[in-house]
Amino acid sequence: MTRQTNPQPADGGGALIVNFRASAIKVREALSMLLDYLAPLGLPQDRIDTIQLVLAEVLNNVTEHAYPDGDGGPIYLRAIVENAQLSVIVRDRGVPLPPSLILWDGKDGFDPSDLPEGGFGWHLIRSLASGLDHNRLARWNELKVVFALT
């Protein structure tokens, strides 16, 4: 696992960059690094818990579904705090996300039994994040998750 970080967010910006191979252990390590990066901000525990829950779901989805053969492909994570927001970009070279998950907006209520495999996790991600954007670029999945920090 490689980690690169500039000054902590409380010191006027700086990004956390973590590159690792998809596995449950590496996901936990990356989340721990993210929490260390956020620590100087003194965020309320419920905000930290929300960020950790959403990003654990995102990273575990990549590990389980983007690399279904268990080959543990690459994951690139970049986190930056700017303008009272945390933006986290997660990139992987796994299989493309099904369009039904990307396009489903969760409106009009939902019945978890009607959702496709992984759909409930997407509902959780969409309902707890302030913003979400997905792109497929040159065989890379790129998911941007934004959290309001105020």
Side-chain angles (χ1 to χ4, degrees), residues 8 40-41 44 71 77 87 90 100 110 116 126 128 141 146-147 149:
Q8 295 295 310
L41 296 176
D71 68 353
L77 181 144
S87 296
V90 176
S100 60
F110 82 100
R126 287 180 183 277
L128 295 175
N141 290 307
V146 178
F147 302 92
L149 298 179

Side-chain angles (χ1 to χ4, degrees), residues 14-150:
L16 170 71
I17 299 170
V18 183
N19 298 303
F20 59 99
R21 304 275 309 163
S23 75
I25 291 171
K26 296 299 183 185
V27 165
R28 283 192 294 275
E29 289 175 9
L31 289 171
S32 178
M33 289 179 192
L34 178 68
L35 295 178
D36 289 345
Y37 170 75
L38 295 175
L41 296 176
L43 297 171
Q45 190 61 48
D46 65 331
R47 196 77 206 123
I48 298 243
D49 292 345
T50 297
I51 292 166
Q52 185 175 12
L53 177 66
V54 169
L55 293 176
E57 182 67 22
V58 166
L59 294 172
N60 285 322
N61 280 349
V62 171
T63 299
E64 294 174 23
H65 302 293
Y67 300 113
D69 296 331
D71 68 353
I75 298 177
Y76 165 90
L77 181 144
R78 180 180 184 270
I80 189 161
V81 174
E82 294 179 310
N83 303 318
Q85 288 187 334
L86 168 65
S87 296
V88 180
I89 294 174
V90 176
R91 291 186 183 129
D92 68 78
R93 276 198 161 299
V95 298
L97 268 141
S100 60
L101 289 179
I102 298 167
L103 299 174
W104 181 71
D105 64 7
K107 294 180 182 169
D108 303 323
F110 82 100
D111 178 354
S113 64
D114 291 338
L115 294 173
E117 170 67 27
F120 186 72
W122 271 99
H123 172 73
L124 179 76
I125 292 165
R126 287 180 183 277
S127 65
L128 295 175
S130 303
L132 191 63
D133 187 38
H134 177 270
N135 290 297
R136 177 81 177 174
L137 305 166
R139 295 186 1 204
W140 284 89
N141 290 307
E142 179 179 281
L143 182 69
K144 181 178 181 181
V145 186
V146 178
F147 302 92
L149 298 179
T150 56

